[in-house]
Amino acid sequence: KYVVVIPTFVRSYEFTGEAIEPDVSTSGARGSSWSVAYETEDSTNYGLYWLTLTLPDSDNYVWGTNYLESFYEGSEVKDCAVGENAVKLFYTITKTTYTATVVTSNFTYGDIKTPTLEINLEGDALKEVAAATPTYYYQIKDSGGDWIEFEGQTLDAGVYQWYVYVPSTENFSYGNF
């Protein structure tokens, strides 16, 4: 039997909100070919997913299982042979990052302004991040030019800055803005 080398393909994708199916070749050397079956119909969200490559002609071809990869973020998860004519391979969708801008305006003594957060996402992705409760932090510049964090807001005159922490969600990494 001819030993077929398992095709390489991109194993890690960043979350986009769209279903992801890796582009895996379906033919190899010496006339070998195989089918690709995705275990999950909707591989959209952050996580680990599997696909199976099956050789239809197991009389003449066999997978070279010594080419199986054996890693997934340092865990015990690894590719595996499923009988003589099929191999099960993993791929991942990672959390994505996003950008946001803290928007505020100058204010005068006695007029407290709350900053807003403008996030560069749309649709369901924006809803997911917007549902995470942000924490606002305030800093004042001291006489030495260093930024010192304090709780709440102040009415005192001075130079201030805000930054915002948004916790991680199912598909997005946390952000500091």
Side-chain angles (χ1 to χ4, degrees):
K1 291 185 181 186
Y2 178 73
V3 176
V4 179
V5 176
I6 295 169
T8 59
F9 61 96
V10 176
R11 296 289 191 120
S12 182
Y13 300 86
E14 190 172 86
F15 171 79
T16 63
E18 302 292 325
I20 295 172
E21 289 185 347
D23 183 21
V24 181
S25 69
T26 57
S27 63
R30 297 190 182 177
S32 60
S33 65
W34 49 87
S35 62
V36 179
Y38 297 93
E39 193 171 283
T40 306
E41 288 183 25
D42 185 20
S43 55
T44 302
N45 295 316
Y46 164 78
L48 175 68
Y49 297 92
W50 295 92
L51 60 88
T52 301
L53 304 180
T54 304
L55 291 166
D57 183 1
S58 59
D59 292 334
N60 295 309
Y61 300 98
V62 63
W63 286 113
T65 54
N66 55 325
Y67 296 103
L68 292 175
E69 296 186 39
S70 58
F71 63 87
Y72 171 64
E73 295 180 9
S75 73
E76 296 297 315
V77 173
K78 60 183 176 181
D79 298 334
C80 60
V82 183
E84 193 174 87
N85 69 330
V87 289
K88 188 172 176 179
L89 310 173
F90 71 85
Y91 62 100
T92 63
I93 298 176
T94 62
K95 289 187 178 190
T96 192
T97 55
Y98 57 93
T99 59
T101 306
V102 179
V103 180
T104 188
S105 58
N106 290 335
F107 61 94
T108 56
Y109 177 79
D111 181 24
I112 295 178
K113 298 279 186 181
T114 301
T116 58
L117 194 61
E118 291 182 356
I119 302 170
N120 73 331
L121 299 170
E122 298 177 358
D124 290 341
L126 177 59
K127 289 176 190 173
E128 181 178 330
V129 171
T133 305
T135 303
Y136 292 88
Y137 295 91
Y138 303 89
Q139 295 179 330
I140 185 170
K141 191 175 258 188
D142 67 11
S143 59
D146 295 322
W147 290 102
I148 300 172
E149 189 173 305
F150 64 93
E151 290 187 31
Q153 295 180 346
T154 183
L155 296 176
D156 297 336
V159 178
Y160 297 91
Q161 68 180 12
W162 287 308
Y163 71 94
V164 181
Y165 167 77
V166 180
S168 293
T169 66
E170 179 181 356
N171 293 302
F172 293 91
S173 296
Y174 73 91
N176 280 315
F177 308 101

